[in-house]
Amino acid sequence: MMLCIFSTTCVMANLILSSSLLWILTVDAVVASGCMEVERNALLTFKSGLVDPQNFLSSWEGEDCCKWRGVACSNATGHVVKLNLRNRNSCYIFIEECPCLSGEINPSLLLLTNLEHLDVSMNNFSGTSIPTFLGSLKNLRYLNLANSYSSGTIPPQIGNLSKLHYLDLNSEFIYPRNLRIDDILWLTRLSSLKYLDLSIVNMNTSTGWLHAVNMLPSLKVLHLADCSLPGISTSLSHFNLTTLNVLDLGGNSINSTLPPWLRNLTSITYLDLSSNEFHGVISDEFLRLSTLNNLFLGYNGFKGMNPKALRYLCNLRSLDLSSFNIGGEIMEWVEMLPRCVRNNLQTLYLNDNNLGGNLSGWLEQMNSLTDINLGSNLLSGSIPAGVWKLPNLIYLYLYNNSLEGVVSDVELSYLRKIQYLDLSLNALTVRVHDDWVPPFQLKEIFLASCQLGPNFPAWLKSQSQLEGLDLSKSKIADTLPSWF
Ligand SMILES: *[C@@H]1O[C@H](CO)[C@@H](O)[C@H](O)[C@H]1NC(C)=O
Ligand SMILES: *[C@@H]1O[C@H](CO)[C@@H](O)[C@H](O)[C@H]1NC(C)=O
Ligand SMILES: *[C@@H]1O[C@H](CO)[C@@H](O)[C@H](O)[C@H]1NC(C)=O
Ligand SMILES: *[C@@H]1O[C@H](CO)[C@@H](O)[C@H](O)[C@H]1NC(C)=O
Ligand SMILES: *[C@@H]1O[C@H](CO)[C@@H](O)[C@H](O)[C@H]1NC(C)=O
Ligand SMILES: *[C@@H]1O[C@H](CO)[C@@H](O)[C@H](O)[C@H]1NC(C)=O
Ligand SMILES: *[C@@H]1O[C@H](CO)[C@@H](O)[C@H](O)[C@H]1NC(C)=O
Ligand SMILES: *[C@@H]1O[C@H](CO)[C@@H](O)[C@H](O)[C@H]1NC(C)=O
Ligand SMILES: *[C@@H]1O[C@H](CO)[C@@H](O)[C@H](O)[C@H]1NC(C)=O
């Protein structure tokens, strides 16, 4: 900006500047004085199809629909380009009636010809199926219907949205779950797609699913968890998805050896193959995916894992090798992990592995750990003081071992960040003072079969965030306190 004081040329320039500014402001004012009437009416018709007990759309009145909640217009054209009606209330925790929108999506949306972004996620349209006319909103780049539909076939018309970058149809929080895909071919036409989440959608007849996603060369994120995928192709002539960062195929019961094309995931940071029936040898090439931060392989048919084989995975933060039948001494196994892995791991799941030994001399040195699951092993001895002092622990699961000794308020007081604690099925005594006030707020605490009684633990009174509690067989002989 020019600095002008007492100069004629400068005053002239200023006049010209402010008159053109005025002109721009006037044009802006015309656009901003209210959205286009046809679009305003379309939105009002759309609203009339919705049931809105919480009055979420109370601001939807008056001339300027661009100022209504969830509506955004283009600054250049004045057209409605964005409709964000995502429900922030976590509808899914309400079994009976959620504080969200329901009803139907009215086809009047088609009059919003410039709509690029549509998000109605976490609402409840579960009585209806996904409208086919959404496939005619041809300017859509972003479509999020996650957790808002539960039934019917995903309309193949969605495949007409050739500009789509982002598609989320995940329905993990919705019951009953029977959203499905009959013929996956429509997916191959979404060639601009970068983000795709179809988790929980039933794809049990989509034998060509891998060939279909292989046609999406820009894909970075792919979530297909719990899709009942009918298998996985191990032979692909050319793997296109070299830019893929996230591949999530957990919970699909896929019975296969690891496909050779996995080694071509040269940009992968997050890989979840857990809870399938993958089996056989985990090849060296696979374990060279050095970009990996998160690797979830638990609950498959693998037998054993040589910790030295993880030497290329120095960027690993999460490692899930649950149910690998590793066996032997846990300390020996962990100490063979490459130092870069051992020092940086935040999440370590080695549950269900027949691992023996104790927790002394190794676990307390893994300072970065936030999440530990060593449940259902053969671990014995006491829990060393250094474990309680791990500075970032959020999740500590040690259930179903032979751990022994006394856990008192002194130990528990070190756990300032803990949210999930499971010490069940061990020979542990948990003994705290009646007036102890914990420094944490737990979401889950499981102390089944620990020696806890005879008094009901008074400190639980402070735990206002609890979602899960198991104190069975913990030798409590008391009346349930009224605050409970
Ligand atoms: C319009 O401009 C405002 C202010 O510069 C900005 O905050 C808003 O995001 C823009 N809207 C769109 C849809 O780009
Ligand atoms: C969602 O809507 C369906 C059908 O209208 C209804 O039966 C169900 O109770 C609703 N669910 C919630 C959580 O409100
Ligand atoms: C949209 O997709 C459907 C089904 O895939 C197809 O039959 C129809 O011709 C497409 N419409 C347009 C306008 O491309
Ligand atoms: C796919 O799932 C549906 C619904 O659960 C089921 O009725 C059908 O038999 C399954 N088909 C196959 C091929 O598994
Ligand atoms: C890889 O992607 C390109 C472009 O989308 C496609 O033409 C080709 O058929 C794909 N390759 C395979 C093996 O699917
Ligand atoms: C994977 O990458 C290797 C080496 O770059 C290449 O020879 C092979 O053809 C690729 N495999 C597939 C299925 O694309
Ligand atoms: C996986 O498939 C093989 C051969 O097709 C079969 O023998 C085996 O029982 C299957 N495993 C599981 C866990 O279903
Ligand atoms: C823990 O196990 C190691 C290795 O087996 C053993 O040397 C050590 O004595 C054990 N420590 C305790 C406290 O049991
Ligand atoms: C406890 O672990 C053993 C193996 O160490 C397993 O066989 C058993 O099923 C587990 N029990 C529970 C209740 O998880």
Side-chain angles (χ1 to χ4, degrees), residues 235-247:
S235 62
L236 262 191
S237 60
H238 187 262
F239 187 68
N240 273 341
L241 306 182
T242 46
T243 57
L244 203 62
N245 299 139
V246 173
L247 177 58

Side-chain angles (χ1 to χ4, degrees), residues 399-400 403 405 407 422-431 446-453 470-476:
Y399 58 87
N400 193 23
L403 299 169
V407 177
D422 190 345
L423 304 175
S424 300
L425 302 169
N426 282 292
L428 291 164
T429 301
V430 179
R431 192 184 298 145
F446 302 126
L447 299 173
S449 298
C450 291
Q451 166 91 45
L452 216 63
D470 187 353
L471 302 178
S472 58
K473 299 187 184 153
S474 57
K475 307 209 171 59
I476 295 172

Side-chain angles (χ1 to χ4, degrees), residues 91-92 94-100 102-103 124-128 175:
C91 184
Y92 65 93
F94 299 90
I95 307 299
E96 290 302 327
E97 218 170 282
C98 75
C100 63
S102 57
N124 180 15
F125 302 109
S126 64
T128 57
Y175 297 91

Side-chain angles (χ1 to χ4, degrees), residues 253 255-256 276-277 279:
S253 307
N255 180 359
S256 168
N276 282 292
E277 307 287 348
H279 54 265

Side-chain angles (χ1 to χ4, degrees), residues 228-335:
S228 304
L229 293 174
I232 194 165
S233 168
T234 50
S235 62
L236 262 191
S237 60
H238 187 262
F239 187 68
N240 273 341
L241 306 182
T242 46
T243 57
L244 203 62
N245 299 139
V246 173
L247 177 58
D248 174 9
L249 300 177
N252 278 297
S253 307
I254 298 170
N255 180 359
S256 168
T257 53
L258 287 182
W261 51 260
L262 281 176
R263 84 175 79 140
N264 297 52
L265 289 167
T266 46
S267 305
I268 196 85
T269 59
Y270 182 107
L271 180 60
D272 188 345
L273 302 177
S274 63
S275 301
N276 282 292
E277 307 287 348
F278 284 112
H279 54 265
V281 177
I282 302 182
S283 74
D284 256 17
E285 284 98 341
F286 173 76
L287 292 167
R288 258 176 233 218
L289 296 173
S290 59
T291 49
L292 272 174
N293 298 142
N294 305 282
L295 178 58
F296 301 94
L297 295 176
Y299 295 108
N300 276 292
F302 297 119
K303 298 273 174 283
M305 166 65 94
N306 181 350
K308 288 182 174 155
L310 302 172
R311 65 187 174 283
Y312 300 108
L313 305 185
C314 274
N315 292 310
L316 222 48
R317 295 291 177 274
S318 307
L319 179 61
D320 170 16
L321 300 177
S322 308
S323 192
F324 258 62
N325 201 13
I326 292 174
E329 273 276 324
I330 193 161
M331 180 162 81
E332 280 177 27
W333 191 91
V334 171
E335 290 195 333

Side-chain angles (χ1 to χ4, degrees), residues 156-157 160 189:
Q157 283 80 358
N160 294 355
R189 291 184 282 134

Side-chain angles (χ1 to χ4, degrees), residues 177-178 180 202-205 228 230:
R177 301 168 162 185
N178 46 26
R180 61 179 186 277
N202 185 350
M203 294 172 61
N204 70 353
T205 58
S228 304

Side-chain angles (χ1 to χ4, degrees), residues 385 388-389 407-415 431-433 436 439:
W388 305 110
K389 292 181 188 168
V407 177
S408 77
D409 40 27
V410 176
E411 283 81 30
L412 293 173
S413 291
Y414 288 116
L415 300 173
R431 192 184 298 145
V432 302
H433 288 96
W436 177 58

